[in-house]
Amino acid sequence: LRGQPSTRLGTSTPIIDGWQAVGPGNVGGRTRALVISPAGPGTGEDGDEGFMLAAGVSGGIFKSTNGGASWRPTADLLENIAVCSLVMDPTDPNIVYAGTGEGFQNSSAVRGLGIFKSVDAGETWVQLEETTSPFVAPFAFHYVNKLAISPADPNRIYAATRSGVWIHENAGEPTNAMGDEFSWRLVLGNPFVQVGAQNSEGSAVGATDIQIRPAPVGGTPDPVEQEIVLASFGSFIADGLFISADGGEAWFRLIDETTSEEEQLYRIDSPYQGRMSIAFSTRFSANADGIVYVLMSRNGDFFTPTDPDDPALLLEFGSVVSVFRADLGDLLIERDGNDNITNVSLPFEARFNSVETTNANNKLLLSNPLVSGACFGAVVPSLSQGWYDNIIKVDPVNENVVWAGGIFFV
């Protein structure tokens, strides 16, 4: 969809007056990923190097070079076309990675078969051999929910999977001329699936999102050893938001040390925490620390007995808990006498209380306010599925303008 922007009367707040469908058509499957080249989405004119790639979880990868006016498939013959994530090399838009497998526990999910790579702007793809067995556990890359690339080193690839967070330091390629040495490393495991040297609390879905703090505009990226990385784990079972301040080597679960136990619903470590999506703001100068937002769904207590007086029951299962905001200037890194990181903390603030909010739209960020029961075979007054439809982005020119997407609302 392409939004038609306008401005509210009397304010400077950008809004979308309407949306235009730009494809792919009904053969694209559920579109879970979209990347746009730095040259733009393309105009179709000679000499314009812009393009877009869209990926569907049951339809593969489609390419447009004319701003979405037309699309063509480029990955129909891959070993697996259940593409859930795409990421583009920040230094070379011809290099794109595609992660397969829709890992959000929906009954219609299709299992993936590792990660694929293109070096010609999505025209052709090859499977990264090490993301299939026997090089790693046979199930390690069956569900690749999100991919990220280090702003400081485009060879450093991060993968958020059901088995945990993995890192590769050679652009997914073998590390020697013989092609028989590989280097995917499990840096934060999901003990429900695969145990690593460091582990999350454990959940059925593992890592659902991973994001890296961007480089400052016109500035130098953070060195890899100082890279700030956030990874979200959990859905149906609360797990946690994890942070690394050294490029994904040491990980720490973020704990809310300011909010009272009585307000635990609105903590970043809420026991009701379900799926979370993450978005960093633009860093407008070399001295800017940046802002990070987290959109949290209430679906982390699916298997947990709940007190009937619990305030969480005032929120529909799968609806939004809140949007959380943190200023990276408040990041605290603790070290021991040998300069090893012993803890990382970052205070998050819930931007609204979903139960008591006076803005009705706040409650609907991950819900469908229309009468609908298509997914359950019965008519229900609303349909909330933040465990499945959950995305957040920050306006690239204004860190206070945030876009959140769910089943119905944007």
Side-chain angles (χ1 to χ4, degrees):
L1 299 176
R2 179 191 294 122
Q4 307 297 322
S6 70
T7 303
R8 292 185 187 275
L9 294 176
T11 77
S12 59
T13 303
I15 64 169
I16 298 297
D17 268 351
W19 295 88
Q20 175 189 2
V22 295
N26 64 355
V27 294
R30 296 183 297 281
T31 303
R32 281 225 176 258
L34 174 72
V35 291
I36 303 175
S37 78
T43 61
E45 298 178 359
D46 292 342
D48 186 344
E49 297 181 351
F51 67 93
M52 298 189 291
L53 295 173
V57 293
S58 57
I61 301 168
F62 291 75
K63 183 174 183 178
S64 174
T65 56
N66 54 13
S70 61
W71 297 81
R72 56 185 174 82
T74 66
D76 275 1
L77 299 180
L78 293 186
E79 290 86 344
N80 187 286
I81 60 172
V83 183
C84 188
S85 53
L86 292 172
V87 67
M88 182 178 286
D89 187 321
T91 63
D92 184 352
N94 291 308
I95 300 176
V96 185
Y97 300 85
T100 60
E102 187 181 27
F104 303 110
Q105 293 288 347
N106 50 299
S107 60
S108 56
V110 178
R111 197 190 78 182
L113 194 62
I115 299 172
F116 295 79
K117 180 179 180 179
S118 173
V119 295
D120 55 8
E123 293 294 335
T124 60
W125 298 84
V126 295
Q127 188 178 36
L128 297 184
E129 186 178 10
E130 195 188 358
T131 60
T132 62
S133 61
F135 304 100
V136 293
F139 46 75
F141 291 90
H142 280 175
Y143 297 96
V144 182
N145 294 320
K146 190 71 73 171
L147 294 168
I149 297 178
S150 165
D153 180 4
N155 292 321
R156 190 176 181 86
I157 314 301
Y158 296 79
T161 75
R162 181 169 291 182
S163 57
V165 173
W166 296 76
I167 290 178
H168 198 288
E169 297 168 283
N170 194 44
E173 305 293 343
T175 55
N176 69 350
M178 299 295 292
D180 58 1
E181 291 183 6
F182 301 88
S183 61
W184 278 106
R185 294 185 292 120
L186 180 64
V187 293
L188 184 59
N190 171 20
F192 276 33
V193 178
Q194 190 162 352
V195 175
Q198 302 172 92
N199 296 285
S200 73
E201 302 295 301
S203 67
V205 300
T208 58
D209 198 2
I210 188 164
Q211 300 292 333
I212 307 168
R213 182 169 73 163
V217 175
T220 303
D222 300 328
V224 167
E225 61 273 14
Q226 298 175 21
E227 208 157 59
I228 307 300
V229 189
L230 283 173
S232 60
F233 279 69
S235 184
F236 299 103
I237 298 175
D239 196 335
L241 182 65
F242 292 80
I243 189 167
S244 172
D246 61 357
E249 300 299 334
W251 291 88
F252 302 89
R253 185 171 182 261
L254 287 171
I255 304 297
D256 189 332
E257 299 174 346
T258 60
T259 307
S260 68
E261 285 294 327
E262 290 73 21
E263 298 177 311
Q264 62 178 345
L265 176 59
Y266 298 103
R267 296 164 57 116
I268 197 65
D269 58 343
S270 169
Y272 309 97
Q273 167 255 312
R275 182 178 167 191
M276 295 181 287
S277 54
I278 307 163
F280 282 94
S281 71
T282 302
R283 297 167 68 190
F284 296 104
S285 70
N287 297 322
D289 295 301
I291 303 295
V292 61
Y293 292 88
V294 173
L295 175 61
M296 181 189 292
S297 167
R298 185 236 140 181
N299 68 291
D301 56 336
F302 186 78
F303 300 101
T304 306
T306 306
D307 186 326
D309 296 324
D310 198 311
L313 295 183
L314 296 174
L315 298 179
E316 187 174 272
F317 187 85
S319 65
V320 64
V321 170
S322 192
V323 173
F324 294 82
R325 183 182 191 271
D327 187 326
L328 273 297
D330 296 327
L331 182 74
L332 177 62
I333 303 173
E334 301 174 43
R335 299 178 183 270
D336 62 18
N338 295 319
D339 205 35
N340 297 311
I341 297 177
T342 58
N343 189 47
V344 179
S345 58
L346 179 64
F348 276 84
E349 174 197 7
R351 302 302 280 174
F352 58 83
N353 179 317
S354 298
V355 174
E356 299 176 1
T357 181
T358 57
N359 185 337
N361 288 339
N362 287 350
K363 296 182 179 182
L364 298 175
L365 290 182
L366 298 174
S367 304
N368 187 340
L370 303 179
V371 175
S372 174
C375 290
F376 299 104
V379 175
V380 293
S382 61
L383 182 61
S384 300
Q385 50 183 54
W387 55 272
Y388 185 62
D389 309 291
N390 185 321
I391 190 69
I392 189 168
K393 292 293 180 183
V394 186
D395 191 296
V397 298
N398 188 339
E399 64 188 24
N400 295 313
V401 177
V402 183
W403 300 89
I407 186 173
F408 180 84
F409 254 39
V410 174

